[in-house]
Every structure is written in C-alpha cells, then in structure tokens.
Amino acid sequence: MSSVLKISDLHVSVGETPILKGVNIEIRQGEIHALMGPNGSGKSTLAYALAGHPNYHVTDGSIEIDGVNITEMEADERARLGMFLAFQYPVVIPGVKVADFLRHAISNIRNPERKEGEGLIGMREFRKEIRERMDELGMDPEFARRYLNDGFSGGEKKRMEILQMAMLQPRFAILDETDSGLDSDAVRVVSEGLARLSGPQMGVLIITHHERLLEFNPPQFTHVMLGGRIVETGDASLAHDLHANGYATVRQRHPDAAAENARAEQPTTV
Amino acid sequence: MSSVTAMSLDRAGFGADVFDAFIAGRKEPAWMLDARRAAFEQYLNLLADDLDPEEWKRVDLRVFNAAKFRPLNAAGQESGKPAAMTLLRDQAEYGGSIAHVDGHTAHCHLTPEIAAQGVLFGDLATLLAEHPERLRPYFMSQAVRPGTDRLSAWHAAFWTSGTLLFVPRGVEVELPLHSLISHTQNGVADFGHTLIILEDEARATLLEETASADPNAAGLHVGCVELIVGRHANLRYVQLQNWNQQTWHFAHQAGNVDAAGSLQWTVVGLGSRLAHIHQDVNLNGRAATAEVNGVTFTSDRQKISYYTQQHHRQQGTRSDLLYKEVLRDDSRVIWRGMIKVDPAGQQTDGYQRSDALMLSDSARCDSIPGLEIEADDVRCTHGATTGRVDKDQVFYCMSRGLSRQEAMHIIVEGFFQQVYDRIPIEVVRETLSRTVQGKLGIEAVA
C-alpha cells in the first residue's frame, strides 16, 4: 500500500503574522507535485511547516502521514517517519564531517526507535553506500570528509541536499527551490539526480521558479499558490503555462488572493 | 574589589610554621633549601601586594581558604586509596611515564633506548639534585620567576614533586612521554612543577594530565610549567586538567622558544572548582613559532580563567592561539589574551582567537583580547566570539532525524573539532573527543 501525505486546511503563522490560510494538498508515494507561485505566496512557509520548523506555528488544520497526525511532532520525529526537506538555504555546521553527520542521520532514519548513544549503522556498509551515491551524483568522494556545507559553493550545497535525500530515502521529499541560484550544469545534475531517486517509493513536492527541474521530473500535479492558498491545481501543462506567461492571468482569476499576496510581499519590498 | 586586594597572612594560611614543617621533611641540597627560604620571604612580602587587577579582577577568590589545605610529608599513597583514573596513560604507547600522587613521585619509567641517548626524565627534585650544573640554570629562572606574584613565590617555596624532561642537543624522542599529577586525599595541597628542556634541534612530546581519585576530596594545586625550547627544537606539550570539582587549580605556565624553534602547546580545562592559569609564550629568538590550543568545557558551577600572553621579542616570530570554550549550567569562563610585540619584533605574525559556546542561559563567558605593539611592521589579528547554539543548525540536524539532544551534541563536538584539527597527536584528539562526549552525557550503549 502506498503512503499518503495529507495536508488539510493548513493555517500557519510566523510570529503573529498568518502566512498560510487553508492549504489542502494530498501527495501519494510515487507522485510528483509542483508547487508554484509568486514571491510571498507562502511556498517556503509550507515547506518549513511540513518539516516542523519551530518558528512556523500551525494554528489550524493538520498534516498527516497515512492517517497519523504529525502536526505537533518535532522535526526529528517527522524525519523518522519519512519526511525530508531539501533546504533552499542549507545550513553550515562547522567541524561536523559530512560522513559523520549522515551516518548519524541514516542510523536514526533506518532505526526510528534509536536513542542517542545506541549503535550507528556499520561503518563498512555506510562507506560503501555513501561512495555509491556520491558516484551517482558525480561528487568527489573527498566531500564526505569535509565539514557540512562549510565553504561549499551554492551548487555544492544543493548537491549535498540531494545526496542526503539519496541516502535517507524519504517517503516524502520537499524540494524548496533546489534549482535556484545554480548554473545550468548544476541544475542538470540536480534534476537528473532527483529523476534517478524519485520513483514509486517517493512522493515529491517540488517548489520551483524554473522549468528545468520539471522537464526532467514532469509533475502529475501542478499547484499554484497565491496569498497563502492553493488557488489552482492542474497538470504539467499548467506549470508550462506559468513559466511561459507568468502569474498575471492567475492574479486576474483570483483577485482576492492576489491582493493578499501583494500585502504579504510588502514588508520585503520596502 | 576584594578579590584582588592584598591578603593577610592569617587568611593566606601558609605561615612560617607550615613552611618550617614542610622543609624539615625534605632532604635537599643547601642551594635548593636556600632558594625555598628566599621564595618564602618573597611570598610573605607579596601577600601584602595587590594581585594584578588586569589579571585577577574577574576571578573571585573570596571563598578560597588555603588553610584548609596542607602539603603532605608522607611519601606516596595511603594504602587502600584508589588510584586516580587516567584518560591518556593506557591509550597509547609511551617512551616513558611518571606519576605523582599527592605531591610525591610514586612511579617513574623511561625506556632504556631513550635513556641511552642522554635523555633525562623523572622526578624533578631528584634530577635537580643529581645534575645541578646542567639543570639549575633553567629552574625558575628563565620562564617563570619566583617573584612574579604571590602564587609564583608560593610555588617556589613549597614546590613538591615534579616532572623533569631534558632532551640533549639533536636528540629526537619519537614516542610521547606521559606525566600524571594526581590527588587521592582530602585536603591535599600539591605544588607540582613541570620543567621541560629541549636543547637545540631536539624533539619531544609530553602528554600530561591531572586527576583526582576521589570525586569528593577537596584539593589544591599550585603548579608551574616551564617549557624551554632551544634553537630549531620542537616541543609538543599537552596538559589536560581533569581534577574533580572540589579542586582549586592555580598555575604559572610559560614557554620560551629560541630561534627557529617551535612549540605546539595544548591546554585542556575540564575539571576543577576554580582554575586560574597564567600562560606566557615567549618568542625569544628569530623565527620562533608557537601554536597554542585551548579546549575548555565547564559545567555546574565551575569557573576557569585564563590569562594568556604571546610575547614577540624578536624578528619574524609567529604565534597562533585558538581557544575554544563550551559552557554548561552555571559555569563561567574568563579569557584575557594579549599579544605583545617588542620593538625588535618586526615581521611578527601574531594571531589570537577565543570562541565560546554557551549551552545554558546562566553560563557566562568573558573573552577579552588585546594587543600591545611596539614594532611598525607586523601582522597581528585577534578576535573573540561568544554565542549560543544556533537554532537553525539544530533544526537542520533534527530535520535529518537527529534528536534535539543529539543535534546539540554533534554541534558542540563540531565546535571543538576545529581546535582538535590543530592538535597533531591522535591519542589526544581521540581522548578529548571521548571525554567531551562523556561530559555531555553521551554514554555508549552496548
């Protein structure tokens, strides 16, 4: 039976400011969903809220995986249930080697009951696995010994997110503008990497402004977010249309949401 | 502030009666006893002087009562007392080892191969008495002088056992040597002294640690470390302070590096109730270099204070100091660092940095770097940061399945890793990593 990630009437605030105002999406393992929308529409907020960032408060609605309500769970519990967020801005953790970090991560994900101090995945098995995955992503094995994201270029950081996804094999992956800020070669590597990883075992939500990632990973569903709501859902052709023509017609079709979006954008444009 | 005011003898608690009883038990050459008497006079005089406020104003000594501690005349360990646990001794192959218990040398060993090269390693008092012409010029006359302040004079009067390492010109000791300074009895005062002399072109590594056998026994250590590094010589010295939290630790520590010599010095502070270390690095010859690493991890109500000075006295000298401090609970760390460059110190390359990571709201850290430069063609940089664990780092780790605790721990270990990377001795890196995990409360589950 394939798993389902169900987002129902999700309301999320940051501080006192409501950002998401009732989001509904259902993602099954094996499906690819694209999430598009102008700046300030709430796409990254949805990504952080799904991953369980403590600054993003769910004020109403729910997030469920196979009927289990994860809305109140901490980020690590969600990760152990198969949730993965590829960060738009991956965090630097000085002094922590990529390999050590991933060995801890993978030990927890594969053994969700694991407590700190309990055994880690065998070193041999782990090394073999990380080498294979790095090879597939065209990464220099030396990266495993570097400190996590420390001194990495933008492309290296994004590739590192994809490597982590490849290692952790989540049931649901959210990619928050994984293709932004990359040159076309890097976008191709990331796109191909995702295409290789996604399959019947993974449900994917791709947040993007660009078309390339979706070319390699054609979505079955395209959602358009505006003013903290999903205002339209279509197939891959909707994504294509938005890339070609922008959001003007969407705004026209949804004037109320467009007005809310404009208000949300304001603080950042001052 | 009362902590830096002069101290009456009553409060100091180490009067003539204590001194007389102490030296009555010592069979030492006349010059040594005379030096002790002179130092004791200095000590009495210095008690009337204020401690240097620059160095001491943040260190609260009001509850320190020296009269609760006494040097022990009886040699060695009381029978039935457990030995102190060492972190380093069983972790590597050593060329020699020495152990001091309650201010007395209890054990000493040097492999015959190393001894055959003319290396002296063992109990300081014994070797000073046996080789006065060779060793006496180095003892408390070049690196640390008795009259510096009341603690150095106190130490010079009462110094008990100590570790001496002398490596003759051109001799390279490959295996590290080990030194343990331990307490087993309540109320013990030990005045351990470490003197390392590397003649020109010599090389050696000494790993030293302090430890308490009984976690509840109060102790006092008034120590001194003197590192004399000759021309083109290379010394790697580690002192891992791991007393119990009932121990007071005061020390004058100084390293003198001659032309083209190099010193790699690692100071680790994990234990003690209150510690204050005065650490001087003196770059006395052209192109001398020193790398100083500090790893400090305090918890509970511990207080650890460092007063460090990198003194560039000659041309083309280089010093590089990196201290990293992690503070838990209500603990406190003070670091006051200074780079001094004399007029002769042109083309100095000096660096100092202290980074502190606070794990609780009630911990406190004061980091105060400073520069005093009298030459006009130098490169000196310094910096200090203090902060809490970054919330975004914690979230990032948690989003990959690490629990909040595990995330905190991996971030702390990463924080220290940047200084471990500078420590060239694997056993020290591994021991520190394991010990820090222990102090963080991570226990390996079988």
Side-chain angles (χ1 to χ4, degrees), chain B residues 151-272:
Chain B
L151 289 156
S152 59
W154 194 12
H155 175 89
F158 285 95
W159 66 275
T160 47
S161 67
T163 295
L164 178 120
L165 170 63
F166 174 89
V167 184
R169 186 187 178 106
V171 172
E172 301 190 0
V173 182
E174 289 300 327
L175 288 174
L177 303 162
H178 179 260
S179 170
L180 170 69
I181 306 168
S182 68
H183 291 170
T184 67
Q185 299 186 48
N186 189 49
V188 66
D190 106 76
F191 294 71
H193 192 108
T194 300
L195 174 59
I196 302 178
I197 302 144
L198 264 54
E199 288 195 331
D200 296 350
E201 290 153 44
R203 292 175 72 90
T205 301
L206 180 73
L207 310 184
E208 184 160 68
E209 59 182 315
T210 77
S212 312
D214 178 347
N216 301 311
L220 169 65
H221 174 80
V222 183
C224 184
V225 172
E226 299 187 280
L227 313 173
I228 315 282
V229 181
R231 290 165 180 247
H232 296 276
N234 172 253
L235 173 63
R236 302 189 296 186
Y237 173 69
V238 176
Q239 193 186 57
L240 194 168
Q241 184 272 101
N242 191 34
W243 299 118
N244 67 18
Q245 292 191 15
Q246 307 302 318
T247 299
W248 301 81
H249 177 97
F250 301 101
H252 272 278
Q253 309 189 337
N256 286 7
V257 188
D258 209 337
S262 65
L263 170 62
Q264 285 161 299
W265 186 351
T266 300
V267 177
V268 182
L270 300 172
S272 81

Side-chain angles (χ1 to χ4, degrees), chain A residues 156-212:
Chain A
E156 288 167 345
K157 284 183 182 171
K158 296 297 174 73
R159 217 179 285 194
M160 185 53 63
E161 295 294 288
I162 299 297
L163 172 69
Q164 294 185 38
M165 189 173 81
M167 294 292 288
L168 300 178
Q169 299 165 354
R171 286 193 286 173
F172 298 102
I174 302 132
L175 284 81
D176 189 2
E177 302 204 15
T178 299
D179 52 356
S180 68
L182 302 184
D183 62 32
S184 58
D185 279 352
V187 170
R188 187 181 48 79
V189 169
V190 166
S191 302
E192 287 175 352
L194 176 62
R196 194 179 300 109
L197 294 167
S198 62
Q201 298 308 312
M202 203 197 295
V204 185
L205 180 65
I206 299 174
I207 300 172
T208 181
H209 286 296
H210 306 276
E211 199 158 22
R212 199 69 184 278

Side-chain angles (χ1 to χ4, degrees), chain B residues 424-444:
Chain B
I425 309 155
E426 193 183 0
V427 60
V428 175
R429 289 196 301 270
E430 284 172 359
T431 299
L432 285 178
S433 170
R434 208 173 49 246
T435 309
V436 163
Q437 286 188 0
K439 193 152 180 169
L440 281 166
I442 309 168
E443 281 166 39

Side-chain angles (χ1 to χ4, degrees), chain B residues 12 56-57 65 165 217 231 240 252 306 308 318 321 323 363 378 414 429:
Chain B
W56 288 92
K57 70 181 171 196
N65 181 1
L165 170 63
R231 290 165 180 247
L240 194 168
H252 272 278
Y306 298 98
T308 69
R318 190 174 69 81
L321 176 144
Y323 267 55
V378 301
R429 289 196 301 270

Side-chain angles (χ1 to χ4, degrees), chain A residues 223-241:
Chain A
H223 308 278
V224 183
M225 194 175 249
L226 194 64
R229 291 188 186 90
I230 304 292
V231 293
E232 290 188 12
T233 294
D235 56 17
S237 64
L238 175 58
H240 189 73
D241 178 58

Side-chain angles (χ1 to χ4, degrees), chain B residues 318-390:
Chain B
R318 190 174 69 81
S319 72
D320 179 353
L321 176 144
L322 177 65
Y323 267 55
K324 290 257 186 188
E325 299 100 15
V326 173
L327 295 83
R328 271 182 54 177
D329 310 323
D330 301 317
S331 63
R332 185 165 183 208
V333 170
I334 299 152
W335 171 74
R336 177 85 176 93
M338 181 65 75
I339 296 179
K340 256 182 141 162
V341 182
D342 288 354
Q346 298 294 4
Q347 289 96 49
T348 279
D349 184 351
Y351 181 78
Q352 61 172 345
R353 182 182 183 87
S354 162
D355 293 321
L357 186 61
M358 248 90 68
L359 302 185
S360 78
D361 291 336
S362 45
R364 181 174 161 190
C365 181
D366 299 281
S367 298
I368 308 134
L371 301 174
E372 249 181 63
I373 298 172
E374 293 183 78
D376 55 14
D377 175 22
V378 301
R379 201 182 74 154
C380 290
T381 41
H382 64 184
T385 64
T386 60
R388 296 184 198 294
V389 175
D390 184 288

Side-chain angles (χ1 to χ4, degrees), chain A residues 82 102 134 221:
Chain A
L102 267 174
M134 291 179 94
F221 303 92

